[in-house]
Amino acid sequence: MTSSAIVEKAWWKEAVVYQIYPASFLDSNDDGLGDIPGVISKVAYIKSLGVDAIWLSPVYTSPQKDMGYDISDYRSIHAPYGTVEDMQTLINVLHDNQMRLLMDLVVNHTSDQHDWFKQSRSSRESEKRGWYFWRDAKIDTNGNRKEPNNWRSIFGGSAWHWDETTQQYYLALFLPSQPDLNWSNPEMRRATYDDMRFWLDRGVDGFRIDSMNLMSKHPDLPDGKVVNNEPFQDGSEFFASGPKMHNYIREMRTEVFDNYDCMTVGELGFTKDEQSVSQYVAKDRHELNMVFTGDIVDVDFGPNGKYERTINNIPRKIREITDLWQQSMPKFNGWNSVYYSNHDSGRPLTRYASDSPEHRAAAAKMLAMYLLSLGGTPFLLQGDEIGMANLGKDYGPDAYIDVEAKNYYISVLKSRGGNESTMDDVLREMQLKSRDHGRLPMQWDSSVNAGFASPKARPWMTINKDYTEWNVASQINDPNSVFSFWRTMLTLRKQYTDLFVYGSYKSIPESVMGEGVIGFERAEQVVGGKRAVVFVSFSEQKYTISTDKYVGWDVLVTNHRASVDNSCIELGPFGALLLIDSK
């Protein structure tokens, strides 16, 4: 399927975005934690890669119960990261280098240390009481106090938490220290819009909106469907994409975003179908530029959750997801975000390809070709450009510090009677999927602490011991490195913008290639325009693709695991090949 409509161009469509997890990027002051001055010092490096914008994960003032996604002041900076003045310097330096900055916008919830919540919980008569969700307890037949409903927190346990002072429960879908804001309150919304303007007025170029579609809950907060004997159940049917969700986004856009030349991308959890997604991104809806549906980073989840083993054919599932969104967006004049990693996921190299020594470089290059030859706005996570991988299998549960993984491990361990010897299956999935892997300190060189921090500092989390071989310094001047391949692909994407950014997409059937290969054609949307074809293998197998269709086409780039011989294309393990029509 192809689209014949000519797409309206915009800077945010042509941008390639580099996500920085601030705690893990570069420590400039020997406290073991990355910071904003560290980011500023590496702007030249980031620009040399060929990206156009930085997405900075939260740097606001925070108690750091959930790595900054629990914000206590939207207008100040977490002191170990720097100051508002440092942020202004970063904005200015990026703009001086013709680059842009996106910040994380976390407005589904705040920290319980935010002044809004402190006031809200101070009294039932507080003027900010209605800025959060407060409910009376239920009383069971034995006279025991129970939660207002049976919703399970996303991090486990009840989503409701008792407040002794005012004798009511408050709702927190993540940690107890992350109370949910009540978006039905107009005063709360206005205050939140003022915080957005604070940063946009300083030159920030847009936002990634965290947990965006959780901002509207069903007004009655009904019980979730009971599917097991657990005390708390999945309530996402009633807390995700609620009845006022689109009203809130349109108001946010009208009141704030339309007054700036900014980019918006919403994190769209629990919602992965074409019809629902279209309502957020179709141009005539006047809502968001694009969304993260999350399906590509959930592809290896089990049927009952993240830390179960999947039975999916991973390449086939990736192909289905790729085809779905590449083919759907043109139907309703929407725009794709293109990604396969972020701070909430394990590294795609380990999960979907291979980080084994004999395949690692080729597989990392294959992933780069896949990402950067698709239509939409690509997002990569710091370290993708050098082939960073997950912690290895010789790391035990103590190496994992993220609250999500730790809570899950502890809960399963408890259910199994505290017997560590029964936990191999859970640890195996943590070794693939834990959020820690996407948050590992950046590997700059082979010195102590990988150049992330000085030898005298103690890094805030585990540094992958493979840093002595896999680091920026060893790759940046090597023309055959993963870094150089990323730079080549980024250069080609800019050289052929009408082809790779705005061009049409046509999937090649699995039957033509083999189950481990993803293939697609791209074409400029003008008569006689350039055409290209991409083949990328997510498998250790070798594939021979027999086709006469691309005879005479030129090899634009390969990861040296692929070749063309007459009418046959040979793909070695994790091979990647990009051909362009020479006519």
Side-chain angles (χ1 to χ4, degrees):
M1 175 180 176
T2 62
S3 170
S4 59
I6 301 299
V7 179
E8 181 181 349
K9 296 185 176 183
W11 71 262
W12 48 266
K13 294 180 178 180
E14 298 178 20
V16 176
V17 183
Y18 184 89
Q19 183 187 359
I20 289 179
Y21 198 69
S24 298
F25 193 63
L26 183 64
D27 171 22
S28 72
N29 60 0
D30 296 335
D31 65 355
L33 196 70
D35 45 51
I36 297 166
V39 176
I40 294 168
S41 73
K42 291 296 185 180
V43 168
Y45 162 79
I46 299 166
K47 183 176 177 62
S48 76
L49 179 61
V51 300
D52 308 283
I54 287 173
W55 156 25
L56 193 63
S57 290
V59 290
Y60 314 96
T61 298
S62 165
Q64 298 290 316
K65 301 294 186 183
D66 186 24
M67 289 307 299
Y69 284 89
D70 50 322
I71 297 167
S72 55
D73 186 349
Y74 290 99
R75 300 193 189 194
S76 65
I77 299 298
H78 184 53
Y81 290 156
T83 64
V84 172
E85 289 71 28
D86 290 329
M87 277 297 295
Q88 190 65 61
T89 299
L90 176 60
I91 293 166
N92 295 343
V93 170
L94 288 172
H95 289 178
D96 288 345
N97 282 274
Q98 294 76 52
M99 299 174 69
R100 301 177 193 255
L101 178 67
L102 310 180
M103 292 183 75
D104 239 306
L105 182 64
V106 188
V107 289
N108 172 70
H109 49 267
T110 68
S111 165
D112 61 358
Q113 297 306 303
H114 196 293
D115 186 62
W116 295 348
F117 189 71
K118 288 181 178 180
Q119 292 185 51
S120 183
R121 79 186 310 175
S122 66
S123 165
R124 291 198 186 194
E125 285 70 46
S126 167
E127 63 178 12
K128 289 186 171 57
R129 188 69 170 180
W131 289 32
Y132 296 85
F133 291 91
W134 292 96
R135 295 292 186 273
D136 289 329
K138 289 183 177 179
I139 305 298
D140 67 16
T141 54
N142 296 319
N144 298 314
R145 186 185 75 215
K146 293 188 64 176
E147 293 82 359
N149 69 29
N150 68 352
W151 291 358
R152 182 178 64 243
S153 161
I154 290 167
F155 287 161
S158 176
W160 291 94
H161 308 282
W162 181 251
D163 179 68
E164 284 290 344
T165 301
T166 59
Q167 295 288 294
Q168 281 189 316
Y169 283 95
Y170 67 87
L171 178 67
L173 288 174
F174 293 90
L175 292 176
S177 56
Q178 293 171 292
D180 280 54
L181 287 163
N182 180 7
W183 271 75
S184 68
N185 186 288
E187 289 81 13
M188 187 284 297
R189 297 202 304 274
R190 283 195 290 270
T192 301
Y193 298 156
D194 286 342
D195 287 339
M196 298 176 195
R197 294 186 192 99
F198 175 83
W199 290 107
L200 291 167
D201 287 341
R202 286 182 170 270
V204 168
D205 299 288
F207 295 108
R208 174 264 189 186
I209 309 173
D210 180 72
S211 303
M212 178 268 301
N213 63 315
L214 306 189
M215 292 188 291
S216 175
K217 283 83 169 172
H218 189 290
D220 296 332
L221 306 182
D223 279 345
K225 183 179 180 181
V226 177
V227 297
N228 53 42
N229 294 324
E230 297 296 321
F232 307 111
Q233 303 290 323
D234 176 15
S236 59
E237 177 184 357
F238 302 111
F239 66 65
S241 293
K244 295 290 187 180
M245 192 65 248
H246 296 289
N247 301 68
Y248 298 152
I249 294 297
R250 284 194 293 270
E251 180 184 82
M252 190 186 303
R253 178 161 176 174
T254 301
E255 292 291 321
V256 182
F257 300 145
D258 281 351
N259 297 305
Y260 303 86
D261 181 20
C262 67
M263 168 182 166
T264 56
V265 53
E267 182 185 26
L268 189 63
F270 307 96
T271 306
K272 298 174 170 59
D273 64 284
E274 178 182 331
Q275 175 61 28
S276 298
V277 169
S278 71
Q279 294 177 19
Y280 288 98
V281 298
K283 184 180 178 183
D284 60 7
R285 295 281 299 180
H286 202 69
E287 296 193 22
L288 298 169
N289 296 147
M290 64 195 91
V291 295
F292 294 135
T293 56
D295 44 9
I296 197 73
V297 293
D298 297 353
V299 71
D300 57 354
F301 287 14
N304 297 307
K306 178 175 182 176
Y307 292 111
E308 285 193 358
R309 173 53 54 100
T310 182
I311 58 173
N312 290 334
N313 177 310
I314 298 298
R316 181 175 296 157
K317 191 68 176 176
I318 292 174
R319 182 189 304 109
E320 290 172 355
I321 293 168
T322 304
D323 288 350
L324 170 63
W325 298 119
Q326 291 289 307
Q327 295 173 347
S328 294
M329 286 295 170
K331 296 179 187 176
F332 43 80
N333 201 4
W335 193 252
N336 267 304
S337 61
V338 183
Y339 61 99
Y340 48 47
S341 61
N342 59 35
H343 62 288
D344 282 336
S345 64
R347 292 282 175 173
L349 182 67
T350 304
R351 295 170 74 191
Y352 308 146
S354 175
D355 59 13
S356 63
E358 67 270 28
H359 297 310
R360 182 166 176 173
K365 294 174 183 178
M366 178 275 292
L367 288 169
M369 182 180 291
Y370 162 76
L371 186 79
L372 295 176
S373 55
L374 290 171
T377 300
F379 293 76
L380 66 148
L381 177 64
Q382 63 185 48
D384 283 349
E385 77 274 20
I386 58 168
M388 281 183 63
N390 284 4
L391 292 173
K393 294 181 180 179
D394 51 344
Y395 287 90
D398 291 343
Y400 296 88
I401 65 174
D402 175 57
V403 63
E404 179 194 68
K406 285 179 70 70
N407 283 359
Y408 183 78
Y409 188 89
I410 290 168
S411 69
V412 175
L413 181 63
K414 182 179 179 181
S415 72
R416 296 178 181 180
N419 187 351
E420 292 272 3
S421 67
T422 67
M423 297 296 288
D424 286 352
D425 60 325
V426 176
L427 182 58
R428 176 192 64 199
E429 299 308 301
M430 287 169 61
Q431 289 167 342
L432 281 176
K433 305 168 189 173
S434 170
R435 301 196 302 181
D436 288 286
H437 302 300
R439 303 173 180 192
L440 297 175
M442 186 69 179
Q443 296 166 199
W444 293 104
D445 59 40
S446 60
S447 66
V448 175
N449 289 333
F452 161 73
S454 75
K456 64 182 180 181
R458 182 178 180 181
W460 74 281
M461 75 171 301
T462 304
I463 293 177
N464 199 331
K465 62 187 177 184
D466 68 7
Y467 77 86
T468 55
E469 181 178 358
W470 291 88
N471 58 69
V472 171
S474 68
Q475 295 192 29
I476 196 165
N477 295 315
D478 178 359
N480 297 314
S481 68
V482 174
F483 177 88
S484 293
F485 190 86
W486 271 92
R487 189 153 53 185
T488 295
M489 286 300 305
L490 285 160
T491 299
L492 289 173
R493 189 174 179 87
K494 288 179 170 57
Q495 182 180 347
Y496 296 99
T497 299
D498 288 342
L499 178 59
F500 293 120
V501 177
Y502 296 112
S504 63
Y505 173 96
K506 182 179 180 181
S507 178
I508 298 174
E510 179 182 314
S511 59
V512 173
M513 305 170 297
E515 67 178 12
V517 180
I518 296 174
F520 48 88
E521 297 176 3
R522 304 299 312 280
E524 291 182 349
Q525 299 197 59
V526 294
V527 176
K530 293 182 177 65
R531 297 181 296 162
V533 63
V534 178
F535 295 99
V536 288
S537 172
F538 283 75
S539 170
E540 292 186 15
Q541 296 183 38
K542 295 181 180 180
Y543 293 92
T544 298
I545 303 169
S546 299
T547 178
D548 295 324
K549 188 173 183 180
Y550 309 111
V551 171
W553 289 35
D554 293 332
V555 176
L556 191 59
V557 64
T558 173
N559 69 346
H560 304 292
R561 289 279 183 93
S563 61
V564 182
D565 181 17
N566 294 323
S567 61
C568 288
I569 295 169
E570 302 287 345
L571 287 180
F574 304 102
L577 178 68
L578 172 53
L579 303 176
I580 192 164
D581 189 352
S582 58
K583 295 191 290 292

